Amino acid sequence: MPDIKLKYSDEDLQEFKEIIEKKIKRAEEDLALLQSAYKNDANNGTDDTSPSFKSFDEGSEVMSKEANVQLAIRQEKFIRDLKNALLRIENKTYGICRVTRKLIQKERLRIVPHATLSIEAKRKQ
C-alpha cells in the first residue's frame, strides 16, 4: 500500500509561505498604485482642454476610474485569499483540498498559492 501524505512538511510549508509573502507584497504594491490612480483621477490637469473634447474626456475618465475601482476590488480579494492561505500554513492545513481532502499538487500551489481545490475537484465544479 503506497504511503499517502496527508499534509505538507514544515519545509514545504516554509517554501509556500515565502512564495505567498512575496505575492502579498507585490499585490499590495499593485493595489496602492490602483488606488492612487482612481483617487487622483479627479484632477489630472485637463482643465485647459478645448470644450469640444471635454464631455468625451470626462466620460472616459469615469470609465477608467470605474475600471480601476473594479481592479482594486479584485486585488483586495486576491490579497485576502493569500492572507487566508498564510493562516492555513500556520494551522498546517495548507495544501489540502477542501473537497477531496487530498493534497493539492505542489506545482499547482506554486502557481496558484491560494488554491483550496485540487485540479480534480476544480474540474468537477
Short mmCIF file of all heavy atoms in Angstrom, two decimals, residues 16-40:
data_model
loop_
_atom_site.label_atom_id
_atom_site.label_comp_id
_atom_site.label_asym_id
_atom_site.label_seq_id
_atom_site.Cartn_x
_atom_site.Cartn_y
_atom_site.Cartn_z
N PHE A 16 6.18 27.52 0.62
CA PHE A 16 4.93 28.14 0.19
C PHE A 16 4.72 29.48 0.89
O PHE A 16 4.24 30.44 0.28
CB PHE A 16 3.74 27.22 0.45
CG PHE A 16 3.73 25.99 -0.42
CD1 PHE A 16 3.63 24.72 0.14
CD2 PHE A 16 3.84 26.09 -1.80
CE1 PHE A 16 3.63 23.59 -0.66
CE2 PHE A 16 3.84 24.95 -2.61
CZ PHE A 16 3.73 23.71 -2.03
N LYS A 17 5.10 29.57 2.16
CA LYS A 17 4.96 30.81 2.91
C LYS A 17 5.77 31.92 2.25
O LYS A 17 5.28 33.05 2.09
CB LYS A 17 5.41 30.60 4.36
CG LYS A 17 5.24 31.83 5.23
CD LYS A 17 5.65 31.55 6.66
CE LYS A 17 5.46 32.79 7.51
NZ LYS A 17 5.80 32.57 8.91
N GLU A 18 6.98 31.61 1.84
CA GLU A 18 7.84 32.61 1.18
C GLU A 18 7.23 33.06 -0.15
O GLU A 18 7.22 34.25 -0.46
CB GLU A 18 9.25 32.06 0.99
CG GLU A 18 10.02 31.94 2.30
CD GLU A 18 11.30 31.13 2.19
OE1 GLU A 18 11.75 30.85 1.06
OE2 GLU A 18 11.84 30.77 3.26
N ILE A 19 6.70 32.11 -0.91
CA ILE A 19 6.05 32.44 -2.19
C ILE A 19 4.87 33.38 -1.94
O ILE A 19 4.71 34.40 -2.61
CB ILE A 19 5.57 31.15 -2.91
CG1 ILE A 19 6.77 30.34 -3.42
CG2 ILE A 19 4.62 31.49 -4.07
CD1 ILE A 19 6.41 28.94 -3.92
N ILE A 20 4.05 33.03 -0.96
CA ILE A 20 2.84 33.81 -0.65
C ILE A 20 3.20 35.21 -0.15
O ILE A 20 2.59 36.19 -0.57
CB ILE A 20 1.95 33.05 0.36
CG1 ILE A 20 1.37 31.80 -0.31
CG2 ILE A 20 0.85 33.95 0.89
CD1 ILE A 20 0.74 30.82 0.66
N GLU A 21 4.20 35.29 0.73
CA GLU A 21 4.59 36.61 1.25
C GLU A 21 5.08 37.53 0.14
O GLU A 21 4.77 38.71 0.13
CB GLU A 21 5.64 36.45 2.35
CG GLU A 21 5.02 35.94 3.65
CD GLU A 21 6.03 35.60 4.73
OE1 GLU A 21 7.23 35.42 4.42
OE2 GLU A 21 5.61 35.49 5.90
N LYS A 22 5.82 36.97 -0.84
CA LYS A 22 6.27 37.77 -1.99
C LYS A 22 5.08 38.24 -2.81
O LYS A 22 5.02 39.38 -3.25
CB LYS A 22 7.22 36.96 -2.88
CG LYS A 22 8.62 36.84 -2.34
CD LYS A 22 9.50 36.02 -3.28
CE LYS A 22 10.80 35.65 -2.61
NZ LYS A 22 11.52 34.61 -3.31
N LYS A 23 4.12 37.33 -3.02
CA LYS A 23 2.93 37.68 -3.80
C LYS A 23 2.09 38.75 -3.08
O LYS A 23 1.55 39.64 -3.73
CB LYS A 23 2.09 36.44 -4.10
CG LYS A 23 2.70 35.57 -5.17
CD LYS A 23 1.68 34.59 -5.73
CE LYS A 23 2.29 33.71 -6.79
NZ LYS A 23 2.18 34.26 -8.12
N ILE A 24 1.99 38.66 -1.76
CA ILE A 24 1.24 39.67 -1.00
C ILE A 24 1.91 41.03 -1.14
O ILE A 24 1.24 42.03 -1.39
CB ILE A 24 1.11 39.27 0.49
CG1 ILE A 24 0.15 38.09 0.66
CG2 ILE A 24 0.64 40.46 1.34
CD1 ILE A 24 0.08 37.52 2.06
N LYS A 25 3.22 41.06 -1.00
CA LYS A 25 3.96 42.33 -1.11
C LYS A 25 3.72 42.95 -2.48
O LYS A 25 3.39 44.14 -2.59
CB LYS A 25 5.45 42.07 -0.88
CG LYS A 25 6.31 43.32 -0.85
CD LYS A 25 7.76 42.96 -0.55
CE LYS A 25 8.65 44.15 -0.35
NZ LYS A 25 8.71 45.09 -1.44
N ARG A 26 3.84 42.15 -3.52
CA ARG A 26 3.63 42.65 -4.89
C ARG A 26 2.18 43.10 -5.08
O ARG A 26 1.91 44.16 -5.66
CB ARG A 26 4.00 41.54 -5.89
CG ARG A 26 3.72 41.85 -7.32
CD ARG A 26 4.68 42.91 -7.86
NE ARG A 26 4.28 43.38 -9.16
CZ ARG A 26 4.64 42.82 -10.29
NH1 ARG A 26 5.43 41.77 -10.31
NH2 ARG A 26 4.23 43.32 -11.44
N ALA A 27 1.24 42.31 -4.59
CA ALA A 27 -0.19 42.63 -4.74
C ALA A 27 -0.55 43.92 -4.00
O ALA A 27 -1.35 44.72 -4.49
CB ALA A 27 -1.05 41.46 -4.24
N GLU A 28 0.04 44.12 -2.82
CA GLU A 28 -0.24 45.34 -2.06
C GLU A 28 0.33 46.56 -2.77
O GLU A 28 -0.28 47.63 -2.77
CB GLU A 28 0.30 45.22 -0.63
CG GLU A 28 -0.58 44.30 0.22
CD GLU A 28 -0.04 44.04 1.62
OE1 GLU A 28 1.18 44.23 1.85
OE2 GLU A 28 -0.84 43.63 2.48
N GLU A 29 1.51 46.40 -3.41
CA GLU A 29 2.09 47.50 -4.19
C GLU A 29 1.19 47.83 -5.38
O GLU A 29 0.92 49.01 -5.67
CB GLU A 29 3.50 47.13 -4.68
CG GLU A 29 4.53 47.08 -3.57
CD GLU A 29 5.85 46.43 -4.00
OE1 GLU A 29 5.98 46.01 -5.17
OE2 GLU A 29 6.75 46.33 -3.14
N ASP A 30 0.71 46.80 -6.06
CA ASP A 30 -0.19 47.00 -7.20
C ASP A 30 -1.49 47.67 -6.76
O ASP A 30 -2.00 48.55 -7.44
CB ASP A 30 -0.50 45.66 -7.90
CG ASP A 30 0.70 45.07 -8.62
OD1 ASP A 30 1.72 45.79 -8.79
OD2 ASP A 30 0.63 43.90 -9.01
N LEU A 31 -2.02 47.24 -5.62
CA LEU A 31 -3.26 47.82 -5.09
C LEU A 31 -3.06 49.31 -4.78
O LEU A 31 -3.91 50.13 -5.12
CB LEU A 31 -3.71 47.07 -3.83
CG LEU A 31 -4.96 47.62 -3.15
CD1 LEU A 31 -6.17 47.58 -4.08
CD2 LEU A 31 -5.24 46.85 -1.87
N ALA A 32 -1.93 49.66 -4.19
CA ALA A 32 -1.65 51.07 -3.87
C ALA A 32 -1.61 51.90 -5.15
O ALA A 32 -2.13 53.02 -5.19
CB ALA A 32 -0.34 51.18 -3.10
N LEU A 33 -1.02 51.36 -6.21
CA LEU A 33 -0.99 52.06 -7.50
C LEU A 33 -2.39 52.27 -8.05
O LEU A 33 -2.73 53.36 -8.51
CB LEU A 33 -0.15 51.28 -8.52
CG LEU A 33 1.36 51.34 -8.36
CD1 LEU A 33 2.02 50.37 -9.34
CD2 LEU A 33 1.87 52.75 -8.59
N LEU A 34 -3.21 51.22 -8.00
CA LEU A 34 -4.59 51.33 -8.49
C LEU A 34 -5.37 52.37 -7.69
O LEU A 34 -6.09 53.19 -8.26
CB LEU A 34 -5.29 49.97 -8.39
CG LEU A 34 -4.93 48.93 -9.43
CD1 LEU A 34 -5.48 47.57 -9.02
CD2 LEU A 34 -5.47 49.33 -10.79
N GLN A 35 -5.23 52.31 -6.37
CA GLN A 35 -5.97 53.24 -5.52
C GLN A 35 -5.54 54.67 -5.78
O GLN A 35 -6.36 55.57 -5.87
CB GLN A 35 -5.80 52.87 -4.05
CG GLN A 35 -6.55 51.61 -3.69
CD GLN A 35 -6.28 51.13 -2.28
OE1 GLN A 35 -5.21 51.37 -1.72
NE2 GLN A 35 -7.24 50.43 -1.71
N SER A 36 -4.24 54.89 -5.92
CA SER A 36 -3.79 56.26 -6.17
C SER A 36 -4.27 56.73 -7.54
O SER A 36 -4.59 57.89 -7.72
CB SER A 36 -2.27 56.38 -6.05
OG SER A 36 -1.63 55.72 -7.10
N ALA A 37 -4.37 55.80 -8.49
CA ALA A 37 -4.85 56.17 -9.83
C ALA A 37 -6.30 56.64 -9.79
O ALA A 37 -6.63 57.67 -10.35
CB ALA A 37 -4.71 54.98 -10.78
N TYR A 38 -7.18 55.92 -9.08
CA TYR A 38 -8.58 56.36 -9.09
C TYR A 38 -8.85 57.46 -8.08
O TYR A 38 -9.81 58.20 -8.23
CB TYR A 38 -9.58 55.21 -9.00
CG TYR A 38 -9.70 54.47 -7.69
CD1 TYR A 38 -10.34 55.01 -6.59
CD2 TYR A 38 -9.23 53.16 -7.59
CE1 TYR A 38 -10.48 54.31 -5.41
CE2 TYR A 38 -9.36 52.45 -6.41
CZ TYR A 38 -9.98 53.03 -5.33
OH TYR A 38 -10.12 52.33 -4.17
N LYS A 39 -8.03 57.61 -7.07
CA LYS A 39 -8.23 58.71 -6.13
C LYS A 39 -7.71 60.02 -6.69
O LYS A 39 -8.21 61.08 -6.36
CB LYS A 39 -7.56 58.39 -4.79
CG LYS A 39 -8.33 57.33 -4.00
CD LYS A 39 -7.63 56.96 -2.72
CE LYS A 39 -8.40 55.86 -2.00
NZ LYS A 39 -7.66 55.28 -0.89
N ASN A 40 -6.70 59.96 -7.54
CA ASN A 40 -6.12 61.18 -8.10
C ASN A 40 -6.70 61.54 -9.46
O ASN A 40 -6.33 62.54 -10.04
CB ASN A 40 -4.59 61.03 -8.23
CG ASN A 40 -3.93 60.92 -6.88
OD1 ASN A 40 -4.46 61.39 -5.89
ND2 ASN A 40 -2.78 60.29 -6.84
#
